[in-house]
Amino acid sequence: MSWLLTLLGFMVAASATAPHSLVQERWQRLPLGAIRPKGWLLTQMTLQSKALTSHLPLFWPNIANTSWLGGFADVDGGIHENTPYWLNGAVPLAVQVEDEELMKTVEQYFEGIFTRQGSDGWLGPDTDRSDFWSRIPFMLALAQYHESLPEGHQRSRCASVAHRFFTAVGQRLEEQPLAFGQSQRPVTFSVLAPERGCAALFIEEGVQLGSWSSMRAHDLIWSIHYFAALLPANSSFAHWLLDLAKRLHEAAFQWNEQWFNSSAFATAPVILDSLKTHGVNNAQAVKHGVVWARQSGEVQQGFAESWLAWSQLQRFHGQPHGAFSADEHLAGTNPSRGTELCAVVEAMWSLLLTAQLAPNDRSAVKPLDALEVLAYNALPGSLSEDLWSHPYLQLANSYQALSHEVDHVWTHDGPDSAMYGLAPNYPCCTSNFHQGYPKFAANLFFESPETKEIISALWAPSLARFSHLGAQIELKTDYPFNAGVEYWIQNEEPFQLTIRLPPFLRDDPSAAASLRVTLEGRTVNRTVVDGFLRVQVTSKAERPRLAVRLDFALEPRVSRSSEGSTVHVGPLLMALDLAEERKEVRRHAFEAADWDTFTRKSWQVALPETPRFGDVRHRSFDLPPLPHDAARCPLALEAELVGVRWPAEHQAPAAPPEALVPGQAARSNRTLLPYACTAIRISAFPQQSTESSRWI
């Protein structure tokens, strides 16, 4: 009962402070399970649930013999993050695809962890009293599990476990004020980098000393807010929880002042690395502004800080696939530099929260646009088509993905980083990628009961139920692989359907002109305000009917930048088909293996001055059981390309504009596939300039 006595003492202290409250989100998330994937998205997520997500507990020591259940594994780098990472994705995946076996396994892990909760409320292996970080993804998993449960004993038990843990956090902060946070003096120190598996020198000059917990504090604050919001507004414990969140925020690294809005921010590839240059830390930090704004009340400022963070990362480190370079640390805009898979899924979660907590539609559309690019390019582009393997680093331009690449273009990770495998370079991505698709699917729709509004934030085939408005919507579509979306609606009362239009339908005059909107079979005005189309659904229906339909064209378009030219079809980044050949390097258990991947076609090609494309080819979704299989990809495009002398540097294509000499100008038709359907690819091309003797 020591935790309870501690809590009572904290609550007495908290009661002396002013009452706190949380700002109501402008858009409300639907409870986990209210949105279910359909169509190709269900196929993709079912593949994931039947592959590594359900099999890791059967053979991979970091999950199968986890220290969280008394085992010997999940101790890499002295922390215990793999089991919490896995649960953070396995929980929503099991719920959304209704995988009963996976959910049974998940609940066994929760039961084992619950029964091992310390007498003081601490969760997980207690090998380092300053290791708050390993608990943070577990609390995200616990919040989702709680959200998916009906009212009853298990749901109440989840809340009790969380309350006891937060009490332990408060107690440890009282005992060790610097454990979570920071020293005020400049320092140079050596630590074990947990996402690199090797000792490295971290140099912090003129800023506070941070820990992994400090850098990632706002994920913990989000989970505190989740459980605090469930309590009565006048609850003393709710007030204490918000006091705890405030202490964590103040102890944490101040991302806006000390990094994103500072002259210290890295505007070039990082050489002297530190915790603030770490790619995954930056991806998680994007949410810091909007998360804290729920408590501070400064919603405009919070969004501005989060969007500045993303804008800085894109401006100086952005990549064609929508993420930013993070081959462990920020690495500039060269498309041959890598991006860690963890950075992709963490950025997706940050952008989802940034959109949900934005102050208005004009603001919310920006992170949703960015999220769509990540979800349809960077996420599948860093996973094998069967979801049994992945690289630690994906590269927008690469012609091989090999094990033991001693001479490699990335500067902070090991020689296996680009190889597709079970756990290349470091195990964090093996356990953390599982959250990508489930959290994406869980946030395709939002609602605003006060204004009787349903927000269709992202297009993907899905079925959503809105209990507050008595409505059900099935979104029937093959998007992004094909054009057209249909809203099949069953509703008890009128409401406004607010539909975000993707950027190409807002900014590309040709695509925008092709858009046709029908409501109950009648063509209606397609006026777009702040990125959204608003449709008044006034009719009621006891059965689903085709209420709203959008038709539009998907045509190729070319974008040029200093790092090369890219081709898009809708939101899909297109990449050169290199006729990939794979060779097995090592077989693990079940279907898990490590692979070397080679090209069988030339990669040294450029876009001509005036690009020429064939028609976009679409394949029926009745055929491919693997939506991102290169051999049966649902979309392809023929392009006329020109052969050039394009040098390689460190076994990777040189930055496209550099050192290019015109070849014989031999032209050939080559196939472009969605980036998501490739393992190695060229997605940022050099392009012939207006001066016939030059190439850019």
Side-chain angles (χ1 to χ4, degrees):
M1 296 295 289
S2 61
W3 72 272
L4 183 56
L5 295 175
T6 301
L7 175 60
L8 290 174
F10 288 155
M11 288 171 61
V12 169
S15 65
T17 64
H20 296 294
S21 62
L22 292 173
V23 173
Q24 177 65 52
E25 304 104 322
R26 195 172 65 94
W27 292 349
Q28 293 185 23
R29 293 174 58 250
L30 301 186
L32 181 62
I35 303 175
R36 299 293 172 95
K38 304 284 282 186
W40 72 262
L41 184 57
L42 176 59
T43 299
Q44 184 78 353
M45 292 175 63
T46 302
L47 282 170
Q48 179 179 321
S49 73
K50 301 304 181 185
L52 282 180
T53 306
S54 61
H55 283 81
L56 288 179
L58 303 179
F59 78 95
W60 196 49
N62 280 334
I63 306 299
N65 291 298
T66 176
S67 54
W68 281 76
L69 297 181
F72 62 83
D74 197 4
V75 294
D76 299 284
I79 57 177
H80 314 277
E81 66 186 3
N82 286 288
T83 298
Y85 266 157
W86 173 75
L87 284 168
N88 188 30
V91 169
L93 182 64
V95 171
Q96 288 169 325
V97 302
E98 301 178 90
D99 189 327
E100 294 181 0
E101 287 301 313
L102 178 57
M103 181 52 73
K104 187 182 300 183
T105 301
V106 163
E107 290 182 330
Q108 289 171 352
Y109 274 76
F110 275 119
E111 181 62 29
I113 293 169
F114 288 175
T115 58
R116 288 172 171 80
Q117 187 169 21
S119 59
D120 65 346
W122 197 248
L123 288 164
D126 198 2
T127 56
D128 180 355
R129 291 183 68 84
S130 67
D131 177 21
F132 291 73
W133 155 242
S134 300
R135 331 294 139 182
I136 294 176
F138 178 78
M139 296 310 296
L140 297 176
L142 182 60
Q144 293 175 94
Y145 180 49
H146 174 274
E147 187 178 58
S148 72
L149 293 170
E151 293 293 341
H153 170 72
Q154 189 69 350
R155 183 177 168 94
S156 298
R157 188 183 182 200
C158 289
S160 176
V161 167
H163 295 168
R164 292 181 61 199
F165 171 71
F166 294 141
T167 304
V169 170
Q171 182 176 8
R172 294 194 182 201
L173 287 177
E174 289 285 336
E175 294 172 356
Q176 305 179 69
L178 298 181
F180 182 83
Q182 317 183 348
S183 157
Q184 298 296 326
R185 58 187 177 85
V187 65
T188 299
F189 67 111
S190 180
V191 301
L192 189 68
E195 301 207 18
R196 283 165 52 178
C198 60
L201 187 67
F202 284 73
I203 299 177
E204 300 283 353
E205 296 182 355
V207 300
Q208 296 171 327
L209 170 62
S211 68
W212 296 100
S213 307
S214 167
M215 293 288 169
R216 303 174 178 189
H218 288 81
D219 281 282
L220 181 57
I221 292 172
W222 183 90
S223 65
I224 292 173
H225 287 172
Y226 171 84
F227 285 102
L230 300 173
L231 297 170
N234 60 354
S235 163
S236 296
F237 186 51
H239 292 170
W240 179 82
L241 284 175
L242 297 185
D243 281 333
L244 175 63
K246 183 173 184 289
R247 292 166 61 201
L248 292 172
H249 172 72
E250 292 173 347
F253 181 72
Q254 300 301 302
W255 280 101
N256 185 59
E257 294 85 352
Q258 296 179 338
W259 188 237
F260 294 120
N261 196 23
S262 162
S263 60
F265 183 77
T267 59
V270 168
I271 298 175
L272 292 176
D273 52 78
S274 68
L275 288 174
K276 65 177 179 286
T277 66
H278 187 263
V280 180
N281 285 347
N282 276 265
Q284 292 185 239
V286 169
K287 69 175 72 67
H288 79 283
V290 293
V291 168
W292 182 241
R294 276 206 75 193
Q295 187 163 337
S296 71
E298 300 292 339
V299 177
Q300 293 276 2
Q301 178 182 331
F303 177 83
E305 291 181 2
S306 284
W307 190 244
L308 173 66
W310 185 252
S311 299
Q312 290 283 74
L313 291 168
Q314 287 297 304
R315 178 184 177 188
F316 295 107
H317 306 282
Q319 291 289 306
H321 47 58
F324 54 89
S325 65
D327 43 23
E328 208 62 36
H329 294 270
L330 302 178
T333 56
N334 182 347
S336 291
R337 293 297 293 263
T339 298
E340 183 184 337
L341 175 52
C342 281
V344 174
V345 295
E346 295 294 354
M348 291 176 64
W349 173 232
S350 289
L351 288 169
L352 279 166
L353 293 180
T354 303
Q356 183 205 359
L357 301 171
N360 50 55
D361 288 351
R362 181 178 299 177
S363 299
V365 76
K366 299 175 184 178
L368 290 175
D369 290 347
L371 173 61
E372 180 179 68
V373 179
L374 284 176
Y376 290 145
N377 298 288
L379 176 61
S382 53
L383 300 169
S384 65
E385 70 278 1
D386 61 2
L387 289 107
W388 278 97
S389 66
H390 66 274
Y392 187 77
L393 301 177
Q394 64 172 303
L395 297 89
N397 278 0
S398 64
Y399 54 80
Q400 60 186 23
L402 307 180
S403 56
H404 309 300
E405 281 194 78
V406 178
D407 181 22
H408 47 71
V409 68
W410 54 90
T411 57
H412 290 89
D413 287 314
D416 289 341
S417 296
M419 172 192 73
Y420 277 72
L422 171 62
N425 189 61
Y426 196 75
C428 56
C429 297
T430 306
S431 52
N432 194 22
F433 84 84
H434 309 270
Q435 65 169 304
Y437 279 115
K439 290 186 179 179
F440 170 71
N443 292 275
L444 297 172
F445 289 89
F446 297 96
E447 67 178 347
S448 176
E450 294 80 7
T451 59
K452 295 188 176 181
E453 180 182 9
I454 291 175
I455 299 92
S456 176
L458 298 151
W459 283 342
S462 53
L463 176 66
R465 294 182 173 88
F466 306 86
S467 58
H468 288 107
L469 295 173
Q472 173 182 296
I473 298 179
E474 181 174 358
L475 184 57
K476 295 186 178 183
T477 183
D478 285 338
Y479 186 85
F481 302 106
N482 215 331
V485 294
E486 296 180 351
Y487 292 86
W488 288 71
I489 298 176
Q490 176 181 342
N491 60 308
E492 298 174 358
E493 58 180 296
F495 65 91
Q496 176 177 290
L497 179 61
T498 301
I499 303 170
R500 170 195 152 269
L501 291 184
F504 72 93
L505 285 178
R506 307 193 311 259
D507 304 334
D508 182 341
S510 176
S514 73
L515 178 62
R516 181 171 178 266
V517 182
T518 57
L519 171 63
E520 309 286 3
R522 304 185 310 277
T523 301
V524 296
N525 192 311
R526 61 184 188 193
T527 301
V528 179
V529 178
D530 295 335
F532 290 86
L533 177 73
R534 292 163 179 80
V535 179
Q536 301 298 326
V537 181
T538 57
S539 301
K540 304 177 185 179
E542 296 180 356
R543 295 181 179 180
R545 85 284 191 191
L546 176 54
V548 180
R549 178 184 175 94
L550 282 74
D551 294 289
F552 49 89
L554 288 177
E555 300 293 342
R557 64 190 190 281
V558 177
S559 301
R560 303 185 185 188
S561 76
S562 60
E563 296 297 341
S565 296
T566 56
V567 180
H568 286 82
V569 175
L572 296 175
L573 173 66
M574 303 301 290
L576 183 65
D577 179 11
L578 295 177
E580 301 163 5
E581 180 178 348
R582 297 181 185 178
K583 178 182 178 181
E584 185 176 308
V585 175
R586 180 185 178 189
R587 173 64 56 171
H588 300 281
F590 303 100
E591 300 302 315
D594 299 341
W595 305 88
D596 282 345
T597 308
F598 313 86
T599 178
R600 291 186 294 175
K601 288 187 175 182
S602 170
W603 58 271
Q604 295 164 307
V605 294
L607 285 173
E609 182 178 354
T610 303
R612 296 180 181 178
F613 302 105
D615 293 333
V616 178
R617 301 200 310 267
H618 301 279
R619 186 189 295 269
S620 169
F621 266 93
D622 295 334
L623 298 177
L626 305 175
H628 297 108
D629 182 9
R632 292 172 290 183
C633 193
L635 183 149
L637 176 68
E638 295 299 314
E640 183 183 71
L641 302 177
V642 183
V644 293
R645 301 189 192 119
W646 185 353
E649 296 177 353
H650 302 292
Q651 303 301 311
E658 296 180 1
L660 283 172
V661 179
Q664 298 300 314
R667 301 193 175 211
S668 61
N669 289 333
R670 296 287 296 272
T671 300
L672 304 183
L673 298 175
Y675 181 93
C677 295
T678 63
I680 55 175
R681 74 283 281 186
I682 300 296
S683 64
F685 296 87
Q687 184 164 345
Q688 189 177 14
S689 75
T690 54
E691 301 174 36
S692 60
S693 62
R694 286 185 61 245
W695 294 86
I696 61 173

